Tab-separated table of all heavy atoms in Angstrom:
chain	number	residue	atom	x	y	z
A	1	ILE	N	0.060	-16.632	5.377
A	1	ILE	CA	-0.649	-16.598	4.170
A	1	ILE	C	-1.005	-15.173	3.759
A	1	ILE	O	-0.905	-14.731	2.564
A	1	ILE	CB	-2.046	-17.355	4.343
A	1	ILE	CG1	-1.809	-18.839	4.536
A	1	ILE	CG2	-3.007	-17.091	3.217
A	1	ILE	CD1	-1.250	-19.551	3.294
A	2	MET	N	-1.347	-14.307	4.719
A	2	MET	CA	-1.526	-12.881	4.437
A	2	MET	C	-0.274	-12.204	3.896
A	2	MET	O	-0.322	-11.438	2.924
A	2	MET	CB	-2.045	-12.165	5.680
A	2	MET	CG	-3.452	-12.594	6.118
A	2	MET	SD	-3.805	-11.972	7.781
A	2	MET	CE	-3.624	-10.179	7.593
A	3	PHE	N	0.843	-12.552	4.499
A	3	PHE	CA	2.102	-11.958	4.090
A	3	PHE	C	2.446	-12.429	2.637
A	3	PHE	O	2.814	-11.597	1.798
A	3	PHE	CB	3.211	-12.485	5.024
A	3	PHE	CG	4.574	-11.964	4.607
A	3	PHE	CD1	4.954	-10.643	4.822
A	3	PHE	CD2	5.505	-12.868	4.109
A	3	PHE	CE1	6.253	-10.225	4.446
A	3	PHE	CE2	6.777	-12.451	3.728
A	3	PHE	CZ	7.139	-11.121	3.886
A	4	LEU	N	2.273	-13.640	2.303
A	4	LEU	CA	2.509	-14.185	1.018
A	4	LEU	C	1.649	-13.557	-0.044
A	4	LEU	O	2.003	-13.247	-1.217
A	4	LEU	CB	2.442	-15.671	0.961
A	4	LEU	CG	3.522	-16.429	1.704
A	4	LEU	CD1	3.214	-17.909	1.752
A	4	LEU	CD2	4.937	-16.220	1.059
A	5	ASP	N	0.301	-13.388	0.356
A	5	ASP	CA	-0.644	-12.747	-0.554
A	5	ASP	C	-0.166	-11.303	-0.948
A	5	ASP	O	-0.267	-10.873	-2.066
A	5	ASP	CB	-2.017	-12.713	0.126
A	5	ASP	CG	-3.034	-11.962	-0.752
A	5	ASP	OD1	-3.291	-12.420	-1.851
A	5	ASP	OD2	-3.605	-10.949	-0.286
A	6	LEU	N	0.257	-10.560	0.078
A	6	LEU	CA	0.733	-9.230	-0.152
A	6	LEU	C	1.966	-9.225	-1.044
A	6	LEU	O	2.119	-8.359	-1.972
A	6	LEU	CB	1.089	-8.507	1.170
A	6	LEU	CG	-0.100	-8.117	2.013
A	6	LEU	CD1	0.343	-7.668	3.386
A	6	LEU	CD2	-0.925	-7.018	1.356
A	7	GLN	N	2.891	-10.206	-0.901
A	7	GLN	CA	4.157	-10.285	-1.655
A	7	GLN	C	3.843	-10.593	-3.105
A	7	GLN	O	4.628	-10.258	-4.017
A	7	GLN	CB	5.086	-11.256	-1.038
A	7	GLN	CG	5.560	-10.930	0.327
A	7	GLN	CD	6.195	-9.525	0.373
A	7	GLN	OE1	7.083	-9.280	-0.363
A	7	GLN	NE2	5.660	-8.704	1.262
A	8	LEU	N	2.692	-11.265	-3.408
A	8	LEU	CA	2.409	-11.699	-4.743
A	8	LEU	C	1.680	-10.610	-5.493
A	8	LEU	O	1.330	-10.796	-6.679
A	8	LEU	CB	1.638	-12.958	-4.755
A	8	LEU	CG	2.426	-14.253	-4.233
A	8	LEU	CD1	1.512	-15.402	-4.066
A	8	LEU	CD2	3.556	-14.529	-5.226
A	9	ARG	N	1.310	-9.476	-4.884
A	9	ARG	CA	0.595	-8.448	-5.583
A	9	ARG	C	1.641	-7.537	-6.273
A	9	ARG	O	2.582	-7.098	-5.709
A	9	ARG	CB	-0.241	-7.589	-4.561
A	9	ARG	CG	-1.289	-8.474	-3.901
A	9	ARG	CD	-2.113	-7.619	-2.975
A	9	ARG	NE	-3.066	-8.444	-2.207
A	9	ARG	CZ	-3.949	-7.930	-1.313
A	9	ARG	NH1	-4.020	-6.660	-1.189
A	9	ARG	NH2	-4.724	-8.760	-0.697
A	10	PHE	N	1.309	-7.220	-7.523
A	10	PHE	CA	2.245	-6.395	-8.327
A	10	PHE	C	1.512	-5.204	-8.902
A	10	PHE	O	1.798	-4.829	-10.067
A	10	PHE	CB	2.922	-7.214	-9.404
A	10	PHE	CG	3.818	-8.313	-8.899
A	10	PHE	CD1	3.330	-9.568	-8.775
A	10	PHE	CD2	5.101	-8.040	-8.486
A	10	PHE	CE1	4.123	-10.596	-8.273
A	10	PHE	CE2	5.932	-9.043	-8.007
A	10	PHE	CZ	5.432	-10.364	-7.863
A	11	PHE	N	0.600	-4.645	-8.228
A	11	PHE	CA	-0.088	-3.503	-8.758
A	11	PHE	C	-0.361	-2.488	-7.624
A	11	PHE	O	-0.294	-2.865	-6.408
A	11	PHE	CB	-1.478	-3.925	-9.347
A	11	PHE	CG	-2.294	-4.799	-8.488
A	11	PHE	CD1	-3.122	-4.373	-7.493
A	11	PHE	CD2	-2.182	-6.226	-8.693
A	11	PHE	CE1	-3.830	-5.243	-6.681
A	11	PHE	CE2	-2.921	-7.036	-7.869
A	11	PHE	CZ	-3.717	-6.597	-6.888
A	12	PRO	N	-0.544	-1.201	-7.922
A	12	PRO	CA	-0.750	-0.239	-6.848
A	12	PRO	C	-2.077	-0.310	-6.260
A	12	PRO	O	-3.081	-0.717	-6.926
A	12	PRO	CB	-0.584	1.089	-7.614
A	12	PRO	CG	-0.988	0.784	-9.015
A	12	PRO	CD	-0.567	-0.679	-9.259
A	13	GLU	N	-2.177	0.008	-4.988
A	13	GLU	CA	-3.503	-0.014	-4.319
A	13	GLU	C	-3.640	1.186	-3.420
A	13	GLU	O	-2.700	1.733	-2.878
A	13	GLU	CB	-3.576	-1.258	-3.448
A	13	GLU	CG	-3.726	-2.574	-4.212
A	13	GLU	CD	-3.931	-3.754	-3.279
A	13	GLU	OE1	-3.379	-3.780	-2.190
A	13	GLU	OE2	-4.728	-4.639	-3.649
A	14	ILE	N	-4.921	1.599	-3.259
A	14	ILE	CA	-5.225	2.635	-2.257
A	14	ILE	C	-6.243	1.962	-1.315
A	14	ILE	O	-7.298	1.493	-1.796
A	14	ILE	CB	-5.881	3.871	-2.868
A	14	ILE	CG1	-4.819	4.571	-3.830
A	14	ILE	CG2	-6.307	4.827	-1.837
A	14	ILE	CD1	-5.393	5.795	-4.484
A	15	THR	N	-5.984	2.004	-0.041
A	15	THR	CA	-6.880	1.430	0.950
A	15	THR	C	-7.282	2.505	1.906
A	15	THR	O	-6.424	3.169	2.549
A	15	THR	CB	-6.197	0.253	1.750
A	15	THR	OG1	-5.763	-0.689	0.767
A	15	THR	CG2	-7.163	-0.375	2.687
A	16	PHE	N	-8.590	2.699	2.132
A	16	PHE	CA	-9.109	3.636	3.115
A	16	PHE	C	-9.350	2.874	4.390
A	16	PHE	O	-10.294	2.077	4.469
A	16	PHE	CB	-10.347	4.367	2.595
A	16	PHE	CG	-10.064	5.232	1.452
A	16	PHE	CD1	-10.053	4.758	0.112
A	16	PHE	CD2	-9.842	6.579	1.619
A	16	PHE	CE1	-9.799	5.560	-0.953
A	16	PHE	CE2	-9.598	7.417	0.569
A	16	PHE	CZ	-9.549	6.913	-0.746
A	17	LEU	N	-8.491	2.999	5.327
A	17	LEU	CA	-8.536	2.181	6.575
A	17	LEU	C	-9.674	2.672	7.494
A	17	LEU	O	-9.883	3.909	7.611
A	17	LEU	CB	-7.191	2.290	7.282
A	17	LEU	CG	-5.963	1.777	6.538
A	17	LEU	CD1	-4.746	2.057	7.341
A	17	LEU	CD2	-6.106	0.334	6.210
A	18	ASN	N	-10.353	1.761	8.024
A	18	ASN	CA	-11.526	2.073	8.909
A	18	ASN	C	-11.052	2.424	10.289
A	18	ASN	O	-10.982	1.564	11.164
A	18	ASN	CB	-12.502	0.869	8.897
A	18	ASN	CG	-13.787	1.236	9.670
A	18	ASN	OD1	-13.993	2.329	10.090
A	18	ASN	ND2	-14.593	0.267	9.835
A	19	VAL	N	-10.790	3.705	10.498
A	19	VAL	CA	-10.364	4.196	11.788
A	19	VAL	C	-11.430	4.995	12.496
A	19	VAL	O	-11.128	5.685	13.482
A	19	VAL	CB	-9.051	5.031	11.638
A	19	VAL	CG1	-7.916	4.211	11.155
A	19	VAL	CG2	-9.313	6.201	10.706
A	20	GLY	N	-12.688	4.852	12.035
A	20	GLY	CA	-13.761	5.620	12.668
A	20	GLY	C	-13.824	7.043	12.099
A	20	GLY	O	-13.578	7.247	10.974
A	21	GLN	N	-14.128	7.965	13.033
A	21	GLN	CA	-14.241	9.396	12.582
A	21	GLN	C	-12.858	10.006	12.403
A	21	GLN	O	-12.219	10.579	13.302
A	21	GLN	CB	-15.041	10.137	13.674
A	21	GLN	CG	-15.245	11.626	13.257
A	21	GLN	CD	-16.193	11.837	12.116
A	21	GLN	OE1	-16.924	10.930	11.766
A	21	GLN	NE2	-16.139	12.988	11.516
A	22	GLY	N	-12.332	9.815	11.229
A	22	GLY	CA	-10.974	10.287	10.939
A	22	GLY	C	-10.514	9.744	9.604
A	22	GLY	O	-11.228	8.953	8.971
A	23	ASP	N	-9.285	10.120	9.206
A	23	ASP	CA	-8.759	9.657	7.927
A	23	ASP	C	-7.456	8.840	8.149
A	23	ASP	O	-6.646	9.217	9.045
A	23	ASP	CB	-8.369	10.818	7.013
A	23	ASP	CG	-9.609	11.426	6.322
A	23	ASP	OD1	-10.721	10.912	6.541
A	23	ASP	OD2	-9.375	12.354	5.532
A	24	ALA	N	-7.334	7.800	7.422
A	24	ALA	CA	-6.050	7.096	7.302
A	24	ALA	C	-6.096	6.318	5.973
A	24	ALA	O	-6.885	5.433	5.742
A	24	ALA	CB	-5.869	6.097	8.483
A	25	ILE	N	-5.165	6.754	5.082
A	25	ILE	CA	-5.207	6.207	3.711
A	25	ILE	C	-3.851	5.577	3.425
A	25	ILE	O	-2.771	6.232	3.482
A	25	ILE	CB	-5.481	7.370	2.715
A	25	ILE	CG1	-6.787	8.080	3.059
A	25	ILE	CG2	-5.450	6.859	1.279
A	25	ILE	CD1	-6.989	9.389	2.357
A	26	LEU	N	-3.883	4.265	3.105
A	26	LEU	CA	-2.660	3.553	2.897
A	26	LEU	C	-2.526	3.250	1.414
A	26	LEU	O	-3.415	2.745	0.691
A	26	LEU	CB	-2.698	2.183	3.645
A	26	LEU	CG	-1.396	1.385	3.575
A	26	LEU	CD1	-0.280	2.089	4.342
A	26	LEU	CD2	-1.675	-0.025	4.214
A	27	ILE	N	-1.362	3.641	0.839
A	27	ILE	CA	-1.121	3.512	-0.560
A	27	ILE	C	0.102	2.605	-0.777
A	27	ILE	O	1.150	2.843	-0.167
A	27	ILE	CB	-0.833	4.893	-1.224
A	27	ILE	CG1	-2.096	5.817	-1.070
A	27	ILE	CG2	-0.406	4.800	-2.677
A	27	ILE	CD1	-1.929	7.191	-1.569
A	28	SER	N	-0.116	1.599	-1.592
A	28	SER	CA	0.992	0.689	-1.886
A	28	SER	C	1.522	0.800	-3.281
A	28	SER	O	0.820	1.275	-4.170
A	28	SER	CB	0.514	-0.796	-1.638
A	28	SER	OG	-0.444	-1.159	-2.610
């Protein structure tokens, strides 16, 4: 379900991943 949800998205996203004291930014 999660995989299909991602496949049906057709817009750019920026996600700031919660990695604690640090940075990890995922851009789709």
Side-chain angles (χ1 to χ4, degrees):
I1 291 296
M2 291 167 59
F3 176 74
L4 291 173
D5 176 60
L6 288 169
Q7 295 306 304
L8 291 173
R9 298 183 187 182
F10 295 98
F11 48 85
E13 289 185 322
I14 298 179
T15 304
F16 293 85
L17 300 174
N18 184 6
V19 292
Q21 181 69 17
D23 280 2
I25 302 165
L26 186 66
I27 296 176
S28 67

